[in-house]
Amino acid sequence: MIAALYVLGDALMVLGSCLLAYYARSHFFPHARVFYTGRFYLWLMPAALLIWILTGLAAGIYREIREDDWRAVLWDPLKVNVVATLVLMAFTVAVKEEYISRLLIAIFCVTVLTAMIALRLLARHLGPGLRATFGNVRHVLVVGRTPEALEIAREIEENESHGVKLAGFARVPLLNREGGQLTSAESGLRRSYPLYPLRNLAELLRAHVIDEVIFAVSRDELECLEETFLLCEEEGVKTRVLVSFFPHVISRVYLERLRDMPLLTFSTTPENELLLLAKRVVDLAMALALTVVLSPLLLVIALLIRLTSPGRVLYRQTRCGLGGRRFTLYKFRSMRQGADEQRRELSSLNELDGPVFKIRDDPRCTPVGRWMRRFSLDELPQLINIIKGDMSFVGPRPPLPEEVAHYERWQRRRLRMQPGLTCLWALEGRNKLNFRRWMELDLEYIDTWSPALDWKILLKTIPVVLLGRGAS
C-alpha cells in the first residue's frame, strides 16, 4: 500500500513539474527562442509520466520503502531521473521537431528531480502516520531454532517502524508440547517473545493475529513440515522459507513457475528483464547517436589507414559473447597485414599472464595504429557490434575462443554478461592488471551490476581514455 502511495506521489510530481516547467519557460524566458503554445506540449505529460514511473519500477525504488535511509531518499530519485532524462532526450532528438523547447525539457527534468527528493524528505516525517492509516501492521511468526531464525527476528525488530512486528517463535520438532518464553537474555533481542510448540499452530492461528510465517529450519527439519505448510496454505497465511541450507554462495534465489510446477531458481547473473531491456535501449540509442556524431572522425581514421598501409580498413576477429556465443568483432586495423601469423613468433614478448596476449610496443603495429591504440580509437567500429546487439558499452571484454578454452571453471562466469567496451578493469589500470585480478573485477561487476554502476564506469572511463592511461 505504501509503495502504491509513492507511485501516486511520484506521478503527481511528474505532472506538476510539467505544468511548472511550461509556466516557467513561458513567463521567465519569453525571449529565449520562439516558444509554441501549450497544445504543442500536451504529449509531454503522458510521455513523461510513463517514462518516469516505468523507470522507477524497473529500478526497484518502490520495492522496499525505507524513509529512514538517507541514501535511498537521495539516490533513488537521482538514478531514476538520470535514466528517464536520457530516454526523454533521446526521444526528442529522434523526433526532431523544431517546436520542442530544449529549455522547457531541462527545466522539467531539474524540477521533477527536486520534487521527488522533496516528497521523500516529507515522507520521513509522515511515513509512520501513513502506514498507520493505509497499512496494517503485519505480525510475523518465526519457525526454527537456527542462528538464522534469530537473525531474521533481529531484522524484524529493526524494521518495526515499517509495519512489521514479531509475534513470537515456534520450535521444531512437532512433538514439542510445551510452550514458554524466549527471553531477551537468551536471544539477544530487545524483548522477550512467546515460544510456541509448532504442533499447536492451528490453534495459534485462530487465537492470535499471524499474517506471515517464516521457516528458518534445517534441511532435515524441513522434510517433516509438509502438513504445516498445507495448514498455512489452507488458512491463507503467507509462508516464507529460508533456503540457506542449499549449497550456494553468491546466487540470488527466487521462485518461478513452469505452468503449475514451482521452480526454485538460483542465479549468479542479473535477471531483472526490465533493467536489462533499459540497458539495451540506452546502448542502442547512444551507439546510433555516436555513430552519426563521430562519422567525420571515423572517415578520417579510415582514410589514414588506407593511405599509410596496405590492407583492409576494418579488422574482423571472432570473439565470444554472451554465454559463449561467437560473433565477429570489428576494429580499425592497427597492425600490418599478416600480423596474426607472427603472434607465435612473438609469444616470448607477451607482457600479460594467463591465456591473453599483449605487447606494449607491439612491433606489428603501424604508426597510425600505435596512435589509435593509445587513445582506443581502434575500438570505435565496435559501435556496430553494439547496434547489432553483440556488445554493450559496459561489460566484460569479449575474449578470443582460444582464451576461453584455457579458463578455469570460476572464470567462465564472466561470459554470462553481455560483453562491453569498458568495465571495472579499465579504471584500475587496463593492461597493467594481472589476469586473475582482471577476472575478479569482471565478476565483481556482474555481482553488483546496476544502471547506476554502468554510468559511473562510463563517466570514469572518459578521462582514462582521453589521457591514454594504461593503453598499449
Side-chain angles (χ1 to χ4, degrees):
M1 181 62 72
I2 297 299
L5 290 177
Y6 265 78
V7 173
L8 178 61
D10 284 345
L12 293 175
M13 295 302 104
V14 172
L15 297 177
S17 297
C18 288
L19 296 174
L20 186 59
Y22 179 80
Y23 179 85
R25 172 62 181 85
S26 58
H27 286 77
F28 299 115
F29 305 95
H31 305 298
R33 275 187 61 185
V34 175
F35 188 58
Y36 291 79
T37 58
R39 65 185 181 86
F40 286 90
Y41 292 98
L42 292 177
W43 61 270
L44 180 60
M45 296 180 71
L49 181 63
L50 187 65
I51 292 171
W52 257 255
I53 297 303
L54 286 180
T55 303
L57 291 171
I61 69 170
Y62 306 115
R63 192 174 300 125
E64 183 178 1
I65 306 299
R66 299 181 61 92
E67 298 95 349
D68 56 342
D69 187 350
W70 276 102
R71 182 180 177 184
V73 167
L74 301 175
W75 180 242
D76 284 352
L78 182 60
K79 66 182 179 182
V80 167
N81 277 270
V82 167
V83 175
T85 297
L86 287 171
V87 173
L88 182 61
M89 293 299 292
F91 174 75
T92 58
V93 170
V95 173
K96 295 181 179 179
E97 292 290 353
E98 62 177 15
Y99 69 82
I100 296 177
S101 171
R102 302 295 188 268
L103 181 57
L104 183 145
I105 299 296
I107 294 173
F108 162 73
C109 293
V110 173
T111 304
V112 72
L113 172 60
T114 306
M116 289 177 66
I117 292 176
L119 174 66
R120 280 152 179 78
L121 291 175
L122 181 63
R124 288 173 59 86
H125 302 285
L126 301 180
L130 289 174
R131 291 180 188 279
T133 304
F134 293 99
N136 293 321
V137 173
R138 298 188 64 80
H139 296 79
V140 181
L141 177 72
V142 177
V143 178
R145 54 186 177 183
T146 62
E148 291 83 0
L150 288 177
E151 185 63 29
I152 290 172
R154 292 188 190 97
E155 285 296 316
I156 294 173
E157 280 193 335
E158 291 291 333
N159 288 276
E160 283 186 353
S161 62
H162 295 92
V164 291
K165 185 176 182 180
L166 184 60
F169 293 85
R171 289 290 177 89
V172 185
L174 295 174
L175 296 178
N176 182 7
R177 295 177 178 274
E178 299 298 326
Q181 194 83 1
L182 183 64
T183 66
S184 58
E186 295 174 313
S187 63
L189 299 172
R190 296 174 185 172
R191 294 185 291 274
S192 298
Y193 292 95
L195 183 61
Y196 302 103
L198 188 60
R199 64 171 294 123
N200 295 339
L201 181 61
E203 293 79 5
L204 178 64
L205 293 178
R206 296 186 182 95
H208 299 274
V209 176
I210 303 294
D211 300 296
E212 296 184 21
V213 177
I214 299 179
F215 291 87
V217 297
S218 67
R219 190 201 308 254
D220 295 334
E221 292 172 332
L222 191 64
E223 294 177 355
C224 63
L225 295 178
E226 180 179 350
E227 291 298 324
T228 305
F229 284 121
L230 291 175
L231 171 62
C232 290
E233 185 176 82
E234 290 173 356
E235 289 274 352
V237 176
K238 180 180 289 186
T239 305
R240 304 178 192 268
V241 180
L242 182 70
V243 291
S244 59
F245 47 77
F246 279 94
H248 65 87
V249 179
I250 58 176
S251 297
R252 286 170 290 275
V253 185
Y254 53 93
L255 186 68
E256 294 182 311
R257 284 190 175 273
L258 181 61
R259 290 195 295 182
D260 296 328
M261 296 177 287
L263 303 175
L264 194 60
T265 303
F266 297 83
S267 176
T268 57
T269 56
E271 295 287 339
N272 190 317
E273 294 184 0
L274 284 177
L275 285 183
L276 292 173
L277 176 61
K279 177 180 172 74
R280 173 60 186 148
V281 170
V282 172
D283 282 337
L284 182 59
M286 287 178 56
L288 289 171
L290 285 174
T291 301
V292 174
V293 172
L294 298 178
S295 56
L297 176 61
L298 298 174
L299 292 174
V300 170
I301 294 175
L303 185 61
L304 287 174
I305 296 172
R306 176 66 71 181
L307 294 177
T308 57
S309 63
R312 294 181 175 181
V313 170
L314 289 181
Y315 174 71
R316 296 169 174 83
Q317 190 175 46
T318 299
R319 296 289 185 103
C320 291
L322 182 64
R325 296 170 177 83
R326 299 193 178 189
F327 70 97
T328 300
L329 178 137
Y330 301 98
K331 300 176 69 173
F332 278 129
R333 183 174 57 83
S334 60
M335 297 184 180
R336 59 176 180 263
Q337 285 185 300
D340 287 340
E341 286 74 17
Q342 293 181 291
R343 175 172 171 173
R344 182 174 297 179
E345 302 172 13
L346 301 173
S347 58
S348 61
L349 301 178
N350 186 18
E351 298 176 1
L352 297 181
D353 61 336
V356 292
F357 181 82
K358 184 71 69 173
I359 305 174
R360 181 173 298 277
D361 296 313
D362 199 314
R364 300 171 295 171
C365 284
T366 64
V368 171
R370 191 167 287 109
W371 168 74
M372 286 192 301
R373 283 184 156 209
R374 178 172 177 77
F375 299 101
S376 300
L377 296 176
D378 59 321
E379 312 281 356
L380 288 178
Q382 286 163 47
L383 291 171
I384 300 172
N385 292 116
I386 296 176
I387 293 172
K388 291 173 61 179
D390 298 324
M391 293 176 59
S392 173
F393 275 98
V394 184
R397 284 297 292 163
L400 294 167
E402 52 267 32
E403 294 172 355
V404 174
H406 292 90
Y407 277 4
E408 296 180 31
R409 188 170 66 181
W410 66 272
Q411 295 166 348
R412 292 185 58 85
R413 188 161 66 90
R414 72 185 295 271
L415 299 174
R416 299 300 168 179
M417 190 76 179
Q418 193 85 356
L421 292 175
T422 184
C423 203
L424 291 174
W425 50 263
L427 310 181
E428 196 170 305
R430 303 172 79 182
N431 295 321
K432 295 180 181 179
L433 294 174
N434 62 51
F435 181 72
R436 183 179 184 86
R437 180 57 180 160
W438 179 7
M439 298 294 103
E440 289 173 348
L441 286 172
D442 281 343
L443 296 182
E444 180 183 336
Y445 168 76
I446 292 173
D447 294 336
T448 60
W449 176 80
S450 69
L453 179 60
D454 276 358
W455 284 108
K456 180 179 178 180
I457 292 173
L458 277 175
L459 294 175
K460 288 190 174 183
T461 298
I462 293 173
V464 171
V465 171
L466 292 178
L467 296 175
R469 295 175 185 163
S472 63

